[in-house]
Amino acid sequence: MVLHAKGRYAKRAHFDIPEGLWEEEHGREGFFGPVSHLYRHHPPTGWTDIEGPMRPQAFNAHKLPKTQQLGALPERVVMLYNDEVSMAVWRPASPPDHLFRNADGDELYFVHEGCGKLFTDFGPLNYCPGDYIVIPRGTTYQFAPTTPGNFFLIFEGKGLFREPDRGLLGQHALYDPTTIETPEPEPILETGTFQVKVKRLNQVTTITYPFHPLDVAGWKGDLTVWKISIHDICPVNCHRMHLPPSVHTTFVNDGFIICSFVPRPLETEPGAVKVPFFHRNIDYDEVLFYHDGDFFSRDGIGRGMVTFHPQGIHHGPHPKAIETTESKTDTNEVAVMMDTRQPLFVTQEAQQCGLADYWKSWQ
Ligand SMILES: [Fe+2]
């Protein structure tokens, strides 16, 4: 397919948009495939009504219930899911009194609030806000909060959580590889009654031991629990062009990716677009969790909120954000994004903490 350029358009995408026009990126395969930039007379989010299930949605995850020790799963509240991934929130009402093992999938915990210690087969890890913790499928573990109000975001996928391909940047980009932490073995040599609850096919089997199951004296290999802080991520920037969000990818899994948005300078070249361009993410559903800071492209969205933009309907910066960003030189946002290849379903629990008028927020 040859490239075409017709009518009024910007010579460089995301730069010197022709007066009175709005740029939209219409692309495939996330931000990797064929693309056209469309220059419109109106912002594509300037709708007056949307009827049907594709309305952009927002949720206040701080309104989800804390889960009690029910003696069975779920101890987490799933908000969005498809066949390949689920995103849940877990706000433990009290420290878990049993160990847990997930046989359904690999897990990525993001610590939104609270601190504590995670005990695993491989040894313990301390955690605090901003930590990502990767727990491979089949690992036995137990969270031990040391502060009240622990709040975790949990992604469960079918494949391993992998680091993204760094391409031309090389292996030292995105973060210093030595900032990754793995546990030191610390066997717990206790006797008593210890229960491991194992989730398989979303059903729970309880296994009881007369000794503590986390009794590993040593381990070696390349499959383990590991942790990295979102605050150790060094974002890729370009002062001349607003880069696509895929440049902020932190984890890749089967059918979805997880990206991290961290404080960074905005574009400085006069004429460069500073806010995310309008697009309709045709091949991916897009979910954002706002961890901290001011989320610069969204108005009225704060800590602990989740936005959900299904593939096929436009999104882009709020009008107020475009105005305020003009005078800004940097952003202090900290957010986690999940992009999924398959469409997501919203659970009833998520609907209950939904913000009814989010889809009108571009007006
Ligand atoms: Fe997007």
Side-chain angles (χ1 to χ4, degrees):
M1 180 73 180
V2 290
L3 279 171
H4 299 280
K6 314 242 179 186
R8 291 173 65 199
Y9 56 87
K11 188 179 167 208
R12 269 168 55 193
H14 323 319
F15 183 81
D16 275 351
I17 311 300
E19 187 69 28
L21 299 184
W22 301 84
E23 183 190 65
E24 175 198 344
E25 183 160 305
H26 182 84
R28 301 298 306 273
E29 295 158 41
F31 300 93
F32 289 86
V35 69
S36 280
H37 294 99
L38 310 175
Y39 297 88
R40 299 179 174 278
H41 283 280
H42 303 97
T45 50
W47 45 63
T48 54
D49 194 18
I50 304 170
E51 284 296 329
M54 279 174 61
R55 280 181 174 173
Q57 296 184 69
F59 314 95
N60 185 347
H62 279 284
K63 291 197 170 158
L64 291 173
K66 289 188 180 177
T67 40
Q68 300 296 329
Q69 289 301 302
L70 302 174
L73 292 174
E75 291 172 341
R76 55 191 74 183
V77 181
V78 175
M79 298 184 72
L80 295 144
Y81 67 97
N82 63 26
D83 285 344
E84 294 177 308
V85 59
S86 67
M87 187 187 99
V89 162
W90 181 36
R91 303 172 68 203
S94 54
D97 60 2
H98 56 264
L99 296 105
F100 179 62
R101 182 191 303 158
N102 194 338
D104 282 330
D106 290 60
E107 293 173 319
L108 172 68
Y109 279 73
F110 176 73
V111 185
H112 174 50
E113 288 180 346
C115 298
K117 200 165 183 173
L118 167 65
F119 294 90
T120 79
D121 282 322
F122 301 91
L125 281 175
N126 293 315
Y127 63 85
C128 59
D131 282 346
Y132 284 112
I133 309 168
V134 176
I135 305 181
R137 176 193 307 231
T139 303
T140 304
Y141 64 87
Q142 185 169 16
F143 275 92
T146 53
T147 63
N150 273 215
F151 184 134
F152 303 96
L153 197 61
I154 309 172
F155 301 96
E156 180 180 322
K158 295 285 182 233
L160 283 165
F161 282 92
R162 308 176 289 274
E163 295 180 77
D165 177 12
R166 288 164 166 78
L168 292 172
L169 294 168
Q171 62 165 327
H172 302 287
L174 308 185
Y175 48 80
D176 185 323
T178 60
T179 56
I180 288 178
E181 279 182 53
T182 53
E184 297 292 323
E186 216 172 89
I188 304 173
L189 302 176
E190 289 174 17
T191 51
T193 302
F194 301 93
Q195 288 189 326
V196 182
K197 292 190 183 286
V198 185
K199 179 168 93 78
R200 177 178 171 272
L201 299 176
N202 272 327
Q203 295 173 317
V204 174
T205 299
T206 304
I207 307 169
T208 305
Y209 289 95
F211 54 85
H212 201 293
L214 303 183
D215 59 354
V216 174
W219 62 267
K220 65 188 191 66
D222 60 1
L223 182 67
T224 185
V225 174
W226 58 283
K227 168 188 123 162
I228 181 160
S229 170
I230 199 167
H231 303 297
D232 283 328
I233 289 174
C234 304
V236 176
N237 290 302
C238 174
H239 64 289
R240 303 192 70 193
M241 186 177 85
H242 192 86
L243 295 174
S246 44
V247 80
H248 303 295
T249 305
T250 310
F251 302 97
V252 177
N253 203 316
D254 299 353
F256 69 101
I257 59 169
I258 303 292
C259 302
S260 307
F261 296 97
V262 298
R264 60 191 186 278
L266 295 176
E267 295 69 19
T268 52
E269 181 156 324
V273 171
K274 290 177 168 185
V275 285
F277 35 82
F278 291 97
H279 65 113
R280 57 188 117 166
N281 41 307
I282 302 157
D283 289 325
Y284 284 86
D285 272 14
E286 185 181 302
V287 179
L288 263 159
F289 177 81
Y290 302 88
H291 170 57
D292 210 359
D294 296 319
F295 204 74
F296 80 112
S297 69
R298 296 267 191 279
D299 189 26
I301 291 291
R303 295 183 83 253
M305 288 191 183
V306 175
T307 58
F308 170 44
H309 293 268
Q311 44 198 268
I313 191 162
H314 290 97
H315 64 279
H318 281 118
K320 205 167 146 197
I322 298 173
E323 263 173 52
T324 54
T325 306
E326 269 316 303
S327 56
K328 287 181 89 169
T329 57
D330 55 86
T331 161
N332 69 351
E333 71 186 16
V334 184
V336 175
M337 183 171 81
M338 169 175 75
D339 273 15
T340 70
R341 201 71 165 80
Q342 302 298 328
L344 288 161
F345 297 94
V346 180
T347 62
Q348 274 192 342
E349 288 80 0
Q351 303 279 14
Q352 281 163 12
C353 66
L355 278 62
D357 288 339
Y358 175 66
W359 64 277
K360 295 180 186 169
S361 58
W362 286 268
Q363 291 165 2

